[in-house]
Amino acid sequence: MTSTTQTRPAQLAPVRVGRGRAVHLGNLSSIKGPAGEPRYISSSCGAGTRGDTVTAGAAVTEPIDCRTCTKANPIRVAWINARVIAATSAPVTLPHTGLTVPHTQLRVDGPAQPGPDRAEQHRLYLGDHFLGWITTHPHRPHRTAAYRPVNPHFGGRDLDEYAATARLFTGEPATVADVLAELVREHLTAENVAAQVAASRAPVRLMQHTRDGDGQPVGAPYPTIYASATAPLTTDPAWHRAVARALRRDSPAGPGQHWQIWTPNGWNRLPDVVDVDQDLG
């Protein structure tokens, strides 16, 4: 597909610029595709502004660099793809932490390894590409979360841009340290949930509300305890009532608290104590 203008060639990023092996993120164009999808024009890199080997809308999957580009560090395809997702996709709220992020290509994966002073180090990825290490302290994760890059194509500026559009579960802006710590927590919680489900147990968590001077809940609740119950992964209300009864007997929720259960649709609130009482009656 070709553009309808001779001066602003439209292409979906990533775009190849020049006759070497160059990739640079294009600029979002006012030109739209036939389905209204966004198009990108290539950024000038000293080799020209026309993508010469990629058809408009075609995907570039191989890593390529530039032999004629005057930019210091051409961006590889993987980084561009993540930025395109961020520019064209709606924000995503992570299921376990409630952190809202511009895209989920940035993630933590793999086992942790020991760090200095009882800290832990976690692997940070962009897609399938290893970027560097997040260092957290098990007792002060938000205060000590730090990033040590290994790949030179993703550094502090990239993290700043990512965090600038991220939001905490409370809706408040997130700092880089918040984002790093929450990505670690999201990964660890997801691993724990998967292990419980594999063992035919239903993960549950106790949610806590901050309360004002009149004892009324304020803001969004946050998880304080994770546990599991002998129950299938299900949305069946009968099972949820049974789990709620067991929790009421063994670990009753206090003021400003309630239990949630993990289901195929994510975390769902279990019936309140009053509801369970009525059900028992």
Side-chain angles (χ1 to χ4, degrees):
M1 182 181 298
T2 58
S3 169
T4 57
T5 176
Q6 300 298 315
T7 57
R8 300 183 68 191
Q11 297 200 6
L12 276 176
V15 293
R16 176 179 279 180
V17 179
R19 298 189 179 278
R21 295 181 301 163
V23 172
H24 296 289
L25 179 62
N27 299 313
L28 188 61
S29 171
S30 59
I31 303 170
K32 302 293 182 181
E37 68 272 22
R39 288 285 191 255
Y40 289 78
I41 57 172
S42 57
S43 301
S44 175
C45 73
T49 58
R50 182 176 60 86
D52 63 347
T53 55
V54 177
T55 304
V60 178
T61 57
E62 62 185 59
I64 53 182
D65 53 24
C66 184
R67 290 196 295 262
T68 59
C69 178
T70 59
K71 281 192 173 182
N73 293 305
I75 302 171
R76 296 177 77 84
V77 169
W79 326 135
I80 292 177
N81 284 342
R83 292 183 180 183
V84 171
I85 290 172
T88 60
S89 300
V92 179
T93 299
L94 303 181
H96 302 301
T97 59
L99 179 72
T100 299
V101 293
H103 60 80
T104 56
Q105 292 295 297
L106 193 65
R107 61 188 178 86
V108 170
D109 202 357
Q113 71 176 32
D117 189 27
R118 295 187 299 170
E120 293 179 342
Q121 295 190 122
H122 306 266
R123 292 176 176 267
L124 182 66
Y125 287 83
L126 185 65
D128 295 328
H129 298 265
F130 175 54
L131 300 179
W133 296 96
I134 298 175
T135 301
T136 63
H137 192 286
H139 304 302
R140 301 185 303 274
H142 287 80
R143 293 180 58 189
T144 59
Y147 170 61
R148 178 169 60 86
V150 172
N151 194 301
H153 294 292
F154 193 92
R157 181 176 179 181
D158 299 278
L159 275 177
D160 289 341
E161 292 176 358
Y162 187 86
T165 55
R167 292 293 182 271
L168 299 173
F169 75 97
T170 59
E172 298 173 311
T175 66
V176 168
D178 289 331
V179 168
L180 294 176
E182 294 297 83
L183 288 178
V184 169
R185 190 159 67 94
E186 184 74 22
H187 168 65
L188 295 178
T189 305
E191 279 194 329
N192 178 263
V193 166
Q196 297 294 342
V197 171
S200 299
R201 297 187 64 82
V204 294
R205 65 182 186 180
L206 183 64
M207 304 298 289
Q208 170 74 56
H209 267 289
T210 301
R211 301 177 77 84
D212 61 19
D214 297 325
Q216 297 301 311
V218 177
Y222 55 91
T224 60
I225 296 175
Y226 282 87
S228 63
T230 305
L233 181 68
T234 179
T235 57
D236 185 353
W239 272 106
H240 289 186
R241 287 194 295 271
V243 172
R245 292 189 195 105
L247 289 170
R248 179 183 177 232
R249 180 186 65 246
D250 300 332
S251 302
Q257 297 178 334
H258 65 268
W259 284 97
Q260 290 183 339
I261 188 168
W262 180 251
T263 76
N265 300 325
W267 289 103
N268 286 356
R269 180 167 175 161
L270 283 170
D272 294 331
V273 171
V274 173
D275 296 333
V276 174
D277 286 343
Q278 291 174 347
D279 182 69
L280 287 171

